[in-house]
Structures are given as structure tokens and as C-alpha cells.
Amino acid sequence: MTTLSINAERLLGRLRELGQIGRDSDGRLVRLAGSDADKSGRDAFVAWIRNAGLDVAVDRIGNIFGIWRTADSADDAPILLGSHIDTVIDAGIYDGCFGVLSGLEVIETLKSAGFVPARPIAVAAFTNEEGVRYAPDMMGSLVYAGGLPVGEALATIGTDGTVLGAELERIGYAGPEEPGFLKPHAYVELHIEQGPVLEREGVPIGAVENLQGISWQRVTIEGEANHAGTTPMSMRRDAGYTAARVITFLRDRARNANTPTVATVGCLSFEPNAINVIPSRATFTVDLRDPDEDRLKAEEATLAAFLKELAAAEEVKVSVERLARFEPVTFDPSIVKLVEDAARSRGLASKRMTSGAGHDAQMISRIAPSAMIFVPSTGGVSHNPREHTSDADLVAGANILLDAVTRLAAQ
Ligand code: HGY
Ligand code: MN
Ligand code: MN
């Protein structure tokens, strides 16, 4: 049997086309969940799945599904593919979109080859995977997997004061289906690695066997505004200085630990934010991650103790709000092996690895056997317009997804 291959030109063309949708006045790619830009990306995806002759379904949290049902398998649990098409701010064109468009590409390739799957095959674009406007991240798949009540998710207030449910209504993606309406037989997500490992080792395929734990917090420090010129250093309750101490504390700890722990302060704002006023308030986010749950818990406890100590020493008030907390996840070993076997059959090297980034697969793994396929990221760069993966690696990854689905669909 000749080995089927995806239509590279169609996949790469759509990836580039979607990559142009949702650019701001500075040309940056910004498709935040529930925004007009997100709507434009969603509309493009829905048009492609309709043209492919798939059933289109949208659930209450706005997750979009393209479903290929064959007559005699219509009600069976589907093989689910997918990822997300919302982006971070000033994003690359591959994060999430590559997995969604490859899932559609695989279905179209199988359809046109006359393949008759033993069960439906579907592709999903999950809402708000990035969590930049509405926390937590992976929200659409978390709701889909039953990890967050849909009403609670729809009521989420964004960083811009908007309400997610109202935004989904406004853009026409507050769908009728109950999240979880399709119970997948298996889920496979193809994604760029977003890290340096595969490129550094010259390996084209990552067989992702686990994904690290994630802890997101928002910290607010309240000191006292005062005059920058007249207030002696010993009399300041400086929220800005205290925030800076926390940022360097987190980085130094993670940098000096010989563990895979990572710590990031991605957002920081001062009030009143004036050059000659000691900041009365500092608000910042903390993103802590570790593949080991006990170590992640210990890092959270160490941060809490440090904040308490600083509050006393600097006579400031510290409050912490939890934004997201997901334990590490182990993927289904049989699907991981199936990915490795598919790579080997195509003469491609593969490497078992841990995902440093969060993905929808970590949520869907709560309701179905799941695994991920990675392809290399040039320079390990992601969440950055310089994000890039070579066409050859993209096509190879999509073909491994095709092979994995063909094997799963025959089961
Ligand atoms: O935060 C993450 O790892 C993912 O990009 N949402
Ligand atoms: Mn992603
Ligand atoms: Mn991302």
C-alpha cells in the first residue's frame, strides 16, 4: 500500500493565510480570545471545515469542531485532533494553528483517498488556550474536559474588564452544544515544540510523553505613594522596590536550582506610575512550572514565605490571587509508542520528551487517551513573531499525525 501523504501546499498555504488574520496596526499578530481578530480566525477555520464537507459544531464555551462522520460509524466515539487558534500578543503563526490545520488536513487527505474510518474523526479549535486575556489558559479544553463549569468560565472577567461569555456572544461563537458532547476515543495534538531540544539534537519528531505542572498567580503589593525627592529611603513603603525584589528572587532561585523549574514574571504594572512618585501599588503575574508536582508545590510555598517576609520588612501589604493551577500530566503510552512507530516507518528519528508548554492535550487527557507530536522550533523561539519551523519539518509532522490517525482509526 503506497504511503499516503498530506497535501503540503494546502496545509502550508492555510497556515500562512491564517497567520495574516488578526494583525494589529503595527502588523503584530494578536488574536486574543473573544476578540474581533479571534472571530476572523474562527470564521476562516469554519469556512475551511465546511468546504471539507465536515459537520460543524460549536459548544457553549466556543470550542469549534469539524466532524467527519461516515454512515455506519456516525455515533461512535471519534478520534479527536486539534489545538487552538487564539494567540498571545505579537505571536508567531505556528503555535496552535499548526495542530488545528494539520488535523483538518489529515481528515481531508483521508477523505479524498477514499479511506473509510472505523469511527468518526474530528478536529477541534479550543477556545482561549493562551489565557492572555482571560485566565486560566487552556480554558476551552479545561471546560470541555469537565475541569471548570462552563458558567464559571463564561463569567470570567478579562484583563480589559470584558466578560468572556459576552464577547463570545458578540462574535457569534457562543454555541449550543454542551462542552463534552463528543467523548473522544483518543486525542492526538500536533504542535511546534516551542523549545530548543529537537533542533539541537537534529531530531524531526517529538513523541511527547508528559507535560509539566503550571502555577499562575497575580500578586498585588500595596505600599504608600510619597514624594520621590523628600521621602528618606528609611521611611518608604515602596511597592515598586518590593516587586523588584520578588522578580529577582524568583529568577535567581530558578536559575541556580539544578532542576527543570522555570519562573517567569510576564506582566508588571505600577500605580500611580509617575516618575516622581514612590509606587503605592505594584501588580505582577508569576508563572511557575515544573514536571514534578512536589517540587512545584515547594516552590509555591517558598514564594509565599518570601512574600510574607518582605511584607513585614517593607511594611507593605501583599495579596495573591490564583489564576491557574494544573498538575503535571502523563500521556497515553500506547499512543506515544504509536507516534514513535509511525516516525520509524517513515525513516524519521523521534525523541520522547516532556512538554514545557501547556497544551489542550493536558486537559483532554482527563477524558480520553491522549498524546502529542512535536516538530522542531527554529532557535527554540516561540511566543514571538520570529517563531519558525521549516516546511519540511511541518510536513513531516503532519504526515506522522496522518499515520497515527490511520492506525488509531483502524483499531
Ligand atoms: O502557557 C502556555 O504554556 C501555553 O502557551 N498556553
Ligand atoms: Mn499552543
Ligand atoms: Mn502558546
Side-chain angles (χ1 to χ4, degrees):
M1 173 187 161
T2 50
T3 310
L4 260 185
S5 284
I6 57 108
N7 180 328
E9 197 188 330
R10 180 170 55 193
L11 172 62
L12 298 175
R14 284 175 176 165
L15 204 48
R16 296 202 165 98
E17 190 177 336
L18 185 55
Q20 289 312 310
I21 296 175
R23 295 217 171 243
D24 69 9
S25 50
D26 298 324
R28 304 181 311 167
L29 182 56
V30 187
R31 281 205 307 267
L32 301 187
S35 64
D36 291 334
D38 184 27
K39 170 179 174 42
S40 306
R42 289 165 171 268
D43 291 350
F45 177 54
V46 168
W48 283 323
I49 52 182
R50 276 201 209 292
N51 289 343
L54 306 187
D55 297 337
V56 179
V58 181
D59 72 11
R60 291 178 57 202
I61 192 71
N63 296 321
I64 302 170
F65 298 84
I67 309 159
W68 176 29
R69 290 188 175 95
T70 50
D72 49 1
S73 72
D75 299 333
D76 293 351
I79 293 165
L80 184 59
L81 312 175
S83 191
H84 62 96
I85 58 173
D86 67 302
T87 74
V88 294
I89 299 167
D90 201 8
I93 68 167
Y94 305 92
D95 179 357
C97 302
F98 174 49
V100 171
L101 295 176
S102 295
L104 173 57
E105 177 55 40
V106 162
I107 291 173
E108 290 198 72
T109 299
L110 290 172
K111 275 188 90 184
S112 43
F115 179 84
V116 181
R119 57 180 66 254
I121 305 176
V123 56
F126 290 108
T127 295
N128 190 34
E129 189 277 345
E130 293 294 2
V132 167
R133 190 183 183 196
Y134 304 97
D137 56 350
M138 286 75 71
M139 187 193 276
S141 48
L142 176 64
V143 168
Y144 195 82
L148 177 66
V150 62
E152 198 177 312
L154 292 170
T156 305
I157 309 283
T159 50
D160 54 5
T162 57
V163 181
L164 177 59
E167 284 294 88
L168 288 172
E169 289 282 353
R170 185 180 66 81
I171 67 169
Y173 281 94
E177 300 292 350
E178 275 308 313
F181 74 102
L182 277 179
K183 181 141 180 9
H185 169 71
Y187 176 75
V188 189
E189 179 167 354
L190 174 59
H191 205 286
I192 53 171
E193 178 200 336
Q194 302 181 287
V197 173
L198 290 175
E199 181 188 56
R200 188 179 55 202
E201 300 191 15
V203 174
I205 298 293
V208 187
E209 47 188 1
N210 65 325
L211 190 151
Q212 64 180 347
I214 302 177
S215 162
W216 277 8
Q217 301 175 74
R218 181 183 293 122
V219 180
T220 304
I221 296 176
E222 288 169 275
E224 184 183 43
N226 214 326
H227 196 296
T230 58
T231 314
M233 294 310 285
S234 61
M235 292 174 67
R236 296 180 177 213
R237 296 176 53 227
D238 184 339
Y241 164 73
T242 311
R245 285 283 306 278
V246 181
I247 294 170
T248 50
F249 172 80
L250 285 166
R251 187 197 181 287
D252 293 348
R253 259 190 79 77
R255 188 89 171 78
N256 301 329
N258 57 354
T259 65
T261 316
V262 287
T264 312
V265 174
C267 308
L268 171 66
S269 64
F270 286 168
E271 289 173 38
N273 202 34
I275 188 168
N276 55 1
V277 180
I278 299 167
S280 55
R281 177 188 293 236
T283 308
F284 58 93
T285 55
V286 177
D287 178 323
L288 284 173
R289 307 198 192 194
D290 197 305
D292 180 284
E293 175 62 11
D294 291 339
R295 229 178 14 231
L296 185 54
K297 274 204 191 97
E299 283 309 303
E300 289 176 317
T302 303
L303 172 60
F306 184 66
L307 289 172
K308 197 162 171 228
E309 183 195 310
L310 261 187
E314 298 302 323
E315 296 177 64
V316 294
K317 181 170 170 285
V318 176
S319 50
V320 178
E321 181 194 355
R322 170 158 287 181
L323 298 177
R325 182 62 167 89
F326 303 124
E327 295 195 4
V329 158
T330 302
F331 290 129
D332 180 86
S334 65
I335 304 180
V336 175
K337 185 169 177 328
L338 192 142
V339 168
E340 283 179 318
D341 294 347
R344 193 176 307 109
S345 307
R346 284 191 186 256
L348 295 173
S350 67
K351 174 186 177 61
R352 287 190 174 226
M353 55 200 299
T354 297
S355 173
H359 296 289
D360 294 307
Q362 77 191 86
M363 303 308 173
I364 303 302
S365 69
R366 300 180 185 202
I367 56 171
S370 303
M372 294 189 74
I373 305 166
F374 275 173
V375 292
S377 287
T378 308
V381 170
S382 183
H383 285 186
N384 178 317
R386 286 194 305 109
E387 185 180 276
H388 174 266
T389 297
S390 72
D391 288 356
D393 285 340
L394 293 169
V395 173
N399 278 327
I400 299 304
L401 183 68
L402 172 68
D403 298 345
V405 170
T406 312
R407 297 176 191 206
L408 282 168
Q411 282 172 357

